[in-house]
Amino acid sequence: MDKNQVREVIAKRVAKELKNGDVVNLGIGLPTLVPNYLPTDVELVLQSENGLLGVGPTPEVGKEEAHLVNAGGGYITAQPGASAFSSAQSFAIIRGGHVDATILGAMQVDENGDLANWMIPGKLTPGMGGAMDLLVGAKHVIVAMEHTAKGAQKILKKCTLPLTAKGQVNLIITEMGVMEITPQGIVLKEIHPEFSVEDVQAATEAILTVSPELKMMDV
């Protein structure tokens, strides 16, 4: 798979986790692709942390609206009935526990559900942003990321980068499979048809437990 195919597989599978009536926050980068693949029978409210409830799909090229952007500065659309408000009000929604799920990228995730997604020592960084609040405030945390970075493992026994939050990740979805964080460790629940369990484990530092009900990802 090339990079675009990888991102499409991940975004499509993440979209299947979302349910009717959910309020869902999308992180920057890959998570912003998820609205493009929502099932037609699912109605939910997408939130952008910079102050919008009712985010729609990515606009067509040439139809972008300069005032409609997500937290990463990418162009978005607004669904009928959408509401815009200040960043302070947006974070009151997040910190108040009103977000059902947040979808975030990550540099590292470990078997305890710890996540690092904001800083690489020695490199310039814009700061942690709202990820810390989203990880703690949302009811369900889904990490959507490529399984490795230039061959380096990202799903670890213990994160080595500065943490964004501890013990908050519930589900990891990569191009290789779907993994759930449990008190006993990481359980591989679904696997992409192009890979074997051995392939996924080789790309993962943490020891995976294979679900007895392991199934193929619906891609």
Side-chain angles (χ1 to χ4, degrees):
M1 289 184 282
D2 63 27
K3 192 174 185 68
N4 288 332
Q5 291 173 317
V6 165
R7 289 164 63 85
E8 181 179 352
V9 164
I10 298 169
K12 280 184 175 179
R13 180 57 188 82
V14 171
K16 296 179 188 298
E17 288 294 312
L18 306 181
K19 304 175 183 64
N20 272 323
D22 280 351
V23 175
V24 181
N25 178 278
L26 302 174
I28 63 175
L30 195 158
T32 63
L33 301 177
V34 172
N36 299 333
Y37 302 106
L38 287 175
T40 56
D41 59 345
V42 172
E43 294 185 8
L44 47 76
V45 178
L46 296 174
Q47 185 219 25
S48 183
E49 68 200 65
N50 54 324
L52 184 69
L53 273 176
V55 177
T58 305
E60 296 178 22
V61 176
K63 294 186 178 181
E64 301 90 346
E65 167 55 56
H67 299 293
L68 284 175
V69 294
N70 59 32
Y75 289 114
I76 56 177
T77 57
Q79 298 282 37
S83 59
F85 35 80
S86 71
S87 181
Q89 289 172 304
S90 187
F91 277 92
I93 292 170
I94 295 166
R95 293 168 182 165
H98 304 293
V99 174
D100 295 295
T102 185
I103 303 164
L104 298 169
M107 295 174 184
Q108 295 178 343
V109 185
D110 68 28
E111 61 190 18
N112 299 310
D114 300 348
L115 179 142
N117 76 340
W118 73 282
M119 179 184 177
I120 299 177
K123 293 191 176 183
L124 292 175
T125 174
M128 190 178 290
M132 173 178 63
D133 299 271
L134 286 162
L135 284 163
V136 176
K139 297 172 186 173
H140 193 67
V141 175
I142 301 170
V143 168
M145 68 176 189
E146 295 181 37
H147 204 99
T148 60
K150 297 180 179 178
Q153 295 167 327
K154 297 173 66 176
I155 303 174
L156 308 176
K157 294 180 180 178
K158 187 173 181 61
C159 292
T160 59
L161 295 174
L163 294 183
T164 311
K166 290 178 64 67
Q168 297 298 321
V169 176
N170 301 110
L171 200 68
I172 305 169
I173 298 178
T174 75
E175 76 279 13
M176 299 187 86
V178 178
M179 290 141 280
E180 182 180 10
I181 305 290
T182 75
Q184 291 74 42
I186 302 177
V187 177
L188 180 64
K189 299 179 67 177
E190 298 180 22
I191 189 169
H192 191 285
E194 290 189 13
F195 302 101
S196 67
V197 171
E198 291 74 19
D199 291 332
V200 181
Q201 183 60 77
T204 308
E205 182 189 68
I207 302 302
L208 299 173
T209 298
V210 180
S211 170
E213 299 175 355
L214 179 69
K215 62 181 183 180
M216 293 294 171
M217 285 176 73
D218 182 8
V219 294

